């Protein structure tokens, strides 16, 4: 009986020790797994915890309660021809920066096209409200200073999810600052600059209303947007190629769409028949394409 008693005590002590060892090993394994997860994190996104919080704020608060309702009201109330004219005028102000960046990248022909577009649309096109240049075959050759720096070998830097501005990076952000200092952007007053930004923002968001389901169905909406953002940057810097592999057209459409909503970049809007003069058919009702 005595032996049985001490045997039970000994068994309990051994069990406790073994259990403690097992718990310590399990804890160490969890810590090791966590370290591996951290080590395997996206090197482009060292600020991911903060960026994810900002993404939730942008998408679930700013967009859901402010940007999207205003966009729906804008599309509903504003006539199509007025939307097209306002957007064309906003885009026309960017042509001098397109000229500068094309020339910096050695694209002389594209740079001259950008200059010709600005002159034609600012005069014959009634301050840019009518895209006359496009109608005669001089298409937009959009380039940004962030892309120019990418051509020069400057890296993007860490991924940044900025409040209201959405996905960004130091190279693109500083490039936008430089583009904003080019004539005529440097001389327009603050109210006009804000109006231009709002028009581009609303039209970009309007183009994505039908694409929201794709984002909502993604497993990780934040990662989806981040990957699309970097793919789009690579596409623009390499003029349609990411490394040695061309990006498929369907992917490019997705990148352009999400860029418009989340980075608030300008989208391409085609002028309809109402901007060319009176014709039999009236303006379309479904908004810019």
């Amino acid at each position: 009986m005595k032996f049985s008693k001490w045997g039970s005590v000994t068994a309990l002590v051994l069990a406790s020790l073994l259990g403690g060892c097992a718990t310590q090993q399990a804890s160490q394994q969890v810590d090791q797994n966590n370290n591996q997860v951290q080590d395997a994190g996206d090197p482009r996104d060292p600020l991911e915890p903060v960026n994810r919080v900002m993404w939730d704020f942008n998408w679930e608060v700013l967009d859901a309660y402010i940007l999207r309702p205003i966009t729906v009201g804008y599309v509903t109330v504003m006539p199509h021809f007025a939307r097209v004219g306002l957007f064309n005028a906003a885009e026309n102000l960017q042509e001098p920066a397109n000229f500068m960046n094309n020339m910096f990248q050695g694209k002389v022909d594209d740079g001259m096209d950008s200059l010709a577009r600005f002159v034609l649309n600012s005069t014959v096109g009634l301050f840019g409200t009518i895209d006359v240049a496009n109608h005669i075959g001089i298409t937009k050759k959009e380039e940004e200073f962030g892309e120019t720096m990418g051509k020069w070998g400057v890296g993007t830097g860490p991924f940044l999810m900025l409040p209201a501005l959405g996905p960004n990076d130091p190279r693109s952000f500083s490039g936008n600052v430089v583009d904003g200092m080019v004539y005529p952007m440097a001389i327009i007053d603050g109210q006009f600059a804000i109006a231009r930004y709002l028009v581009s923002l609303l039209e970009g968001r309007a183009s994505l209303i039908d694409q929201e389901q794709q984002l909502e169905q993604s497993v990780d909406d934040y990662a989806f947007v981040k990957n699309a953002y970097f793919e789009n940057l690579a596409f623009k810097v390499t003029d349609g190629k990411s490394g040695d592999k061309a990006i498929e057209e369907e992917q490019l459409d997705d990148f352009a769409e999400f860029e418009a909503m989340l980075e608030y970049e300008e989208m391409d809007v085609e002028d309809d028949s109402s901007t060319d003069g009176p014709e039999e058919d009236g303006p379309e009702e479904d908004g810019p394409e």
Side-chain angles (χ1 to χ4, degrees):
M1 189 73 177
K2 184 176 180 182
F3 174 81
S4 177
K5 178 180 178 182
W6 283 107
S8 299
V9 172
T10 302
L12 290 173
V13 172
L14 290 174
S16 299
L17 291 175
L18 291 174
C21 291
T23 302
Q24 184 177 7
Q25 290 177 351
S27 178
Q28 291 176 350
Q29 184 66 33
V30 170
D31 292 339
Q32 183 178 2
N33 291 337
N34 289 337
N35 291 335
Q36 290 176 350
V37 170
Q38 292 176 358
D39 292 340
D42 192 342
R44 305 169 302 180
D45 192 6
L47 303 175
E48 182 173 348
V50 177
N51 285 335
R52 282 186 176 274
V53 172
M54 191 54 62
W55 159 252
D56 291 339
F57 174 72
N58 284 343
W59 179 243
E60 298 177 5
V61 178
L62 292 183
D63 184 82
Y65 294 102
I66 300 177
L67 181 58
R68 192 182 190 282
I70 292 176
T71 300
V72 172
Y74 172 77
V75 172
T76 303
V77 174
M78 186 68 68
H80 177 263
F81 72 90
R83 289 175 56 196
V84 172
L86 288 173
F87 187 77
N88 285 342
E91 290 283 271
N92 186 58
L93 294 174
Q94 195 64 28
E95 291 294 355
N98 294 338
F99 164 74
M100 176 192 74
N101 290 308
N102 275 301
M103 299 300 285
F104 282 164
Q105 295 179 31
K107 304 174 183 177
V108 178
D109 291 340
D110 290 349
M112 297 309 296
D113 283 349
S114 297
L115 182 60
R117 283 179 55 82
F118 180 71
V119 173
L120 283 172
N121 290 342
S122 298
T123 54
V124 182
L126 302 179
F127 302 103
T129 55
I130 303 174
D131 194 349
V132 176
N134 187 63
H135 289 301
I136 63 175
I138 307 177
T139 57
K140 185 188 303 180
K141 305 296 191 306
E142 186 174 1
E143 295 288 343
E144 302 167 355
F145 192 70
E147 299 170 41
T148 300
M149 289 191 289
K151 288 279 189 179
W152 294 346
V154 179
T156 62
F159 180 66
L160 302 173
M161 183 65 68
L162 300 179
L165 296 178
N168 220 303
D169 65 270
R171 187 184 73 189
S172 298
F173 185 83
S174 58
N176 291 335
V177 173
V178 174
D179 288 337
M181 299 173 64
V182 179
Y183 174 89
M185 294 296 297
I187 64 171
I188 61 177
D189 59 42
Q191 292 182 348
F192 194 85
I194 293 174
R196 174 189 175 276
Y197 172 79
L198 287 177
V199 168
S200 298
L201 171 62
L202 292 174
E203 289 294 351
R205 185 61 181 90
S207 70
L208 289 167
I209 290 179
D210 294 335
Q211 307 296 329
E212 293 172 351
Q213 188 175 5
Q214 182 180 3
L215 180 63
E216 293 172 354
Q217 291 178 345
S218 62
V219 176
D220 186 344
D221 50 7
Y222 170 81
F224 178 84
V225 169
K226 177 176 64 176
N227 291 333
Y229 175 78
F230 279 110
E231 287 287 354
N232 189 47
L233 284 182
F235 161 72
K236 292 192 295 184
V237 171
T238 59
D239 293 330
K241 291 186 178 181
S242 181
D244 296 328
K245 180 179 179 181
I247 301 176
E248 296 178 0
E249 291 184 1
E250 293 183 359
Q251 291 177 308
L252 298 183
D253 291 340
D254 291 339
F255 300 152
E257 287 165 357
F258 282 104
E259 177 191 33
M261 176 177 67
L262 303 167
E263 197 182 16
Y264 306 138
E265 300 257 334
E266 291 84 356
M267 68 173 186
D268 290 329
V269 178
E270 296 183 357
D271 196 353
D272 67 340
S273 57
S274 62
T275 60
D276 298 332
E279 294 186 40
E280 293 183 0
D281 296 333
E284 298 178 2
E285 298 295 334
D286 54 355
E289 297 179 357

